[in-house]
Amino acid sequence: MSPSTITLLFLVFAIVMFVWEKIPLGLTAMICAIGLALTGVLDVSDAYAGFVNSNVVLCVAMFVVGQALFETGMANKIGGLVTRFAKTERQLIVAIMVIVGVMSGFLSNTGTAAVLIPVVIGIAAQSGYSRGKLLMPLVFAAALGGNLSIIGAPGNLMGVNALNELGIETGFFEYIGVGLPMLVAGILYFAVIGYKLLPDGNNLGDVEDDQFAVKDFSNVPKWKQITSLVVLIITIIAMIFEKQIGIALQVSASVAALFLILTGVISEKQALRSIDLKTVFLFAGSLALADALESSGAGSIIADTIINLLGSNPSPIFMLLVIFVVTCTLTNFMSNTATTALMVPIAVSLAQGLGADPRAVVVATVIAGSCAYATPIGMPANTMVVGIGGYHFRDYVKAGLPLILVSFVICMVLLPILFPFYP
């Protein structure tokens, strides 16, 4: 059996298992990596190279830096401070989406949502506003804000890694040209139309009785809270000016993580607990599969097949549309990180097959991978608020599909301008 056939079989296995999720996503990715090594498609060093990939290191370090903000209660303080100034339900929706969107651009999407859900529930209980009107905008803003920077979500780093492998330089705000307009449009959508499509969801019991009771951080020293925020800000600034200061993103993030542990802002146990190993194994194993798709020629086979189906001389714009729709459909029924991991190498192969610059399709794939708005299983944050927000599946469809359409239009208009196919 040829290496390309073996790789395609592992790709099919990964797709099925990512959708089915009978075994953990990280385990599925590692089965692919190890299987590709056992069958000789990849040598051992290439199969495990993902674990020492600089973007995986960056991902791990930022888990720790972000967790310090959560563990010290600084994230709660920021969220409560901003939402306190909202006087109406609509203003509160806007305030929540702004703060969550900005925070999730630099912290874990799921972590940001998990920390601010109890804050918003508490505000809703005190003010009499509906939880159902507030919680879905919160989790959608977390997904939208994740597109502001390359550290906003693991999938963002997968896209950056693919471009770096092709020798294309990327910046800290690689996605912001599309991500920021999407966040603004998402906020306007919920402020004007979206909130009307959501249920009231108020008769759901007391806040104290649910799993999202607000934690007490009164015993955390103030210096720890301030230090966690200052370190995050300095780290972000260092990443933005990476070229000017001559320090790689990964090094800045690693120094910040070590500093927070050594100064006692966050304990070693808390730091280790913050590292999402499922994401690490999924990331590393998926990189091995992506490597095999390229080296075995399987990626080219997939790209050629799709290009042939699109007809002779297919338009890059049509290819962009297909990539977005396929990725967006998948991400609403399986892990968005897994979806991005699967689709990025295919998108790169498609662009190369047309002789086009791959940046537009890679960014489209990453953005579409975050558009998990139409189902409660599209991303962990969606699932968190199903019960506490009083939502049903149809509520996600009603409020999420228009937001996907808005995101799609923005991508299709901006991407060819920002990243020309034939510069």
Side-chain angles (χ1 to χ4, degrees), residues 39-50:
T39 53
V41 176
L42 295 176
D43 58 40
V44 175
S45 60
D46 289 335
Y48 292 102

Side-chain angles (χ1 to χ4, degrees), residues 401-420:
L401 278 180
L403 184 57
I404 289 174
L405 182 60
V406 169
S407 301
F408 170 74
V409 171
I410 290 173
C411 276
M412 294 303 293
V413 171
L414 291 181
L415 282 174
I417 297 171
L418 296 172
F419 306 102

Side-chain angles (χ1 to χ4, degrees), residues 13 68 85 120 127 157 219 244-245 254 294 308 356 366 371 386:
F13 167 78
F85 296 102
V120 170
S127 63
L157 288 172
N219 62 333
Q244 287 83 350
I245 64 176
S254 298
E294 181 183 357
N308 288 334
V366 172
C371 290
V386 172

Side-chain angles (χ1 to χ4, degrees), residues 110-125:
T110 305
T112 300
V115 164
L116 293 185
I117 284 170
V119 175
V120 170
I121 290 174
I123 292 169

Side-chain angles (χ1 to χ4, degrees), residues 163-231:
L163 293 174
N164 293 160
E165 291 286 328
L166 296 171
I168 299 172
E169 289 190 6
T170 54
F172 183 74
F173 292 113
E174 188 70 20
Y175 303 103
I176 199 169
V178 179
L180 183 58
M182 278 178 55
L183 176 59
V184 172
I187 293 171
L188 291 175
Y189 160 72
F190 268 107
V192 178
I193 302 170
Y195 81 99
K196 298 177 183 177
L197 304 174
L198 298 173
D200 284 336
N202 263 335
N203 302 318
L204 299 165
D206 296 330
V207 179
E208 290 78 14
D209 295 334
D210 64 59
Q211 60 177 311
F212 294 111
V214 179
K215 293 182 181 179
D216 180 17
F217 292 101
S218 59
N219 62 333
V220 178
K222 194 170 183 179
W223 71 267
K224 287 190 175 183
Q225 295 182 332
I226 295 171
T227 303
S228 67
L229 180 60
V230 170
V231 169

